[in-house]
Amino acid sequence: MNDTPQRNRYVVAADIGTTSTKALVIGLDGRVVASRSVEYPLYTPTPDRAEQDPDEIFAAVVKAIGEAVGQAGVSARDVLCVSFSSAMHSVIAVDRDGKPLTRCITWADNRSESCLDELKREHNGLGIYRNTGTPLHPMSPLLKLMWMNRNEPELVKRTYKFVGIKEYVFAKWFGRYAVDHSIASATGLFNLRSLDWDEEALRVAGVSRGQLSEPVPTTYVLKGLLSGYAERMGLAPDTPFVVGAADGVLANLGVGAFDPGVYAITIGTSGAVRGTVREPITDPQGRLFCYALKEDFWVIGGPINNGGIMFRWVRDQLATLEAEEARRRGMDPYDYLTELAASVRPGSDGLIFLPLLAGERAPHWNANARGCFFGLTLFHEKKHMIRAVLEGVAYRIHSVVTALEELAGKASEFRASGGFARSAFWRQVMADVLGAPVVVPDSVESSGLGAAVLGLLATGEVSDFSVMREWARANVRHEPDETNHRTYERLTAIYNDVYDRLKEPFDAIAAYQKQRIGGG
Ligand code: ADP
């Protein structure tokens, strides 16, 4: 890092998420000196839609950056750059004047489910995945565009560009449509090897390359903010804006998981496991995503639907009396339930939970999968069920890790983040199930920190990501217990066997449920 000693200098990182945009002002030592988050609504007029208003998001981004810079009290010329992270998979149709013709259709929008079979069976779906790295799932912009062509062909004809939310924001600031390789690599339309739009995917989606943004590297810099935006954000008009990358890949960087064998496990409401590789790798079976961070840095991994939401389900449905008891004692119910779980032996005395209540994504991508307890006896008490749920989420993570290790090599260390990382007990269970150390980095806002370091790289302030080792120093470490690991090896084998054998019954029960209660 250059050390021009006379002034303190800062990087501003903005993370455009699905519920809010968070802006951070970060010193060159990685210290967050100001942080401001501005929320916006998610519109779900029908169960299969999940949309947002692009202009509400744009206003929130400007506000969050302006307020964070104001809160930090830094002068515009001390801001080295502003760098961006954003949610993946969003689609907005805009007209020639840049006006939105649709809302921002988010990753959580499921309308395009109806095109999934057609993509798989009639259009070389797996082949397209292998070239583009985006799993075949309704979240994928490829499927969203197929859906629009089938259902709103007039709209497609009138559309000047289909853009993601970050492109929309940048176009307002700079009057140009540019998409970073990272967000592009999560559209299902972008060829990972040629770093350009994939002709076959475009044909299947029914869009032309002229209707998409120009792909640029994640370190691409734009300058020259239009019409007064610089003043509103407390920045100079020529402050470099680094286009940045997608939130998932930046989170990996932000927790310091960028060396071979170091994998990141994030469990918030849902969850994901990710590792980095130096060139794009896709899975012959289509189980994992591969998204770009830079030309020589790719993040592969798999998302799971049922992460922390399983523990919330336990708290709110299964162990309501216990949660009440915790509140009476002035304790966080999660901590109390975790204590109960800790009083049971590893392996929950042979009770196995398949935490598939919300269907599942990686590695099986099976929307019809359903939850179940397996192995219940009269011996088992509620505390066993609680422990089995926490272990079950770790078994889910284990199944993604197994797929990941086949492609990216053996894991030597896991870096934990998200709500689950608050629990020492759950982290130890994870280490014991996976048989490798689980560490917890300091960094809280991992996508934002990752964006900041990418910004420093883009502006030549650092020459690689190694500064992140300092920024994301790990303070807590859980070593796996060998005896417990052997117990869990036996149980994960049974878990996988039960899952495999339930494939057809899952379809049957899901069909029944669809008739009775609707939904997916
Ligand atoms: P989100 O991704 O929804 O923003 P968080 O990252 O805050 O959510 O994670 C929420 C989840 O984290 C909860 O549903 C719960 O499973 C888990 N969690 C939060 N606090 C604790 C705790 N003290 N102990 C164990 N798990 C916790």
Side-chain angles (χ1 to χ4, degrees), residues 267-269 308-309 311-312 332 334-335 338 418-420 422-423 426:
I267 303 180
T269 301
I309 197 173
F311 201 18
R312 192 159 76 209
D332 177 341
Y334 286 132
D335 291 338
T338 309
F420 112 98
R422 276 178 235 151
S423 163
W426 208 352

Side-chain angles (χ1 to χ4, degrees), residues 206-444:
V207 292
S208 66
R209 65 171 51 233
Q211 284 176 301
L212 301 172
S213 301
E214 177 200 348
V216 296
T218 55
T219 48
Y220 192 75
V221 173
L222 282 147
K223 281 188 192 176
L225 283 165
L226 300 174
S227 58
Y229 286 120
E231 295 75 53
R232 281 168 63 187
M233 292 188 280
L235 301 169
D238 64 348
T239 303
F241 272 55
V242 179
V243 61
D247 53 4
V249 306
L250 287 172
N252 248 64
L253 179 58
V255 296
F258 53 89
D259 288 322
V262 181
Y263 291 1
I265 299 176
T266 306
I267 303 180
T269 301
S270 56
V273 190
R274 308 185 198 89
T276 54
V277 284
R278 299 295 176 258
E279 57 185 36
I281 300 179
T282 49
D283 177 35
Q285 297 173 53
R287 294 168 298 179
L288 303 171
F289 58 69
C290 177
Y291 300 141
L293 175 52
K294 280 193 326 101
E295 282 82 345
D296 55 353
F297 249 98
W298 296 78
V299 173
I300 66 172
I304 65 167
N305 286 346
N306 304 280
I309 197 173
M310 291 298 88
F311 201 18
R312 192 159 76 209
W313 174 78
V314 168
R315 184 193 67 185
D316 297 343
Q317 304 295 336
L318 188 67
T320 45
L321 291 178
E322 291 76 4
E324 247 337 286
E325 172 64 21
R327 290 186 190 103
R328 252 198 310 279
R329 296 182 186 195
M331 280 178 81
D332 177 341
Y334 286 132
D335 291 338
Y336 183 61
L337 297 179
T338 309
E339 274 180 20
L340 291 178
S343 68
V344 174
R345 282 178 286 201
S348 301
D349 292 314
L351 180 61
I352 292 176
F353 181 63
L354 278 67
L356 307 170
L357 276 65
E360 76 152 324
R361 286 189 283 169
H364 300 292
W365 300 90
N366 180 1
N368 289 341
R370 292 294 183 265
C372 61
F373 281 104
F374 178 74
L376 267 173
T377 68
L378 288 173
F379 172 80
H380 292 114
E381 299 172 30
K382 202 186 279 181
K383 60 188 182 187
H384 289 87
M385 300 172 90
I386 298 168
R387 181 168 184 128
V389 169
L390 299 179
E391 290 175 339
V393 173
Y395 298 164
R396 285 289 299 109
I397 293 291
H398 175 267
S399 65
V400 182
V401 169
T402 304
L404 205 46
E405 286 183 328
E406 281 172 31
L407 298 188
K410 188 101 185 101
S412 54
E413 179 184 297
F414 293 96
R415 298 199 146 221
S417 65
F420 112 98
R422 276 178 235 151
S423 163
F425 172 75
W426 208 352
R427 295 188 310 248
Q428 184 63 49
V429 167
M430 195 64 79
D432 292 348
V433 168
L434 298 173
V438 169
V439 306
V440 189
D442 266 350
S443 45
V444 186

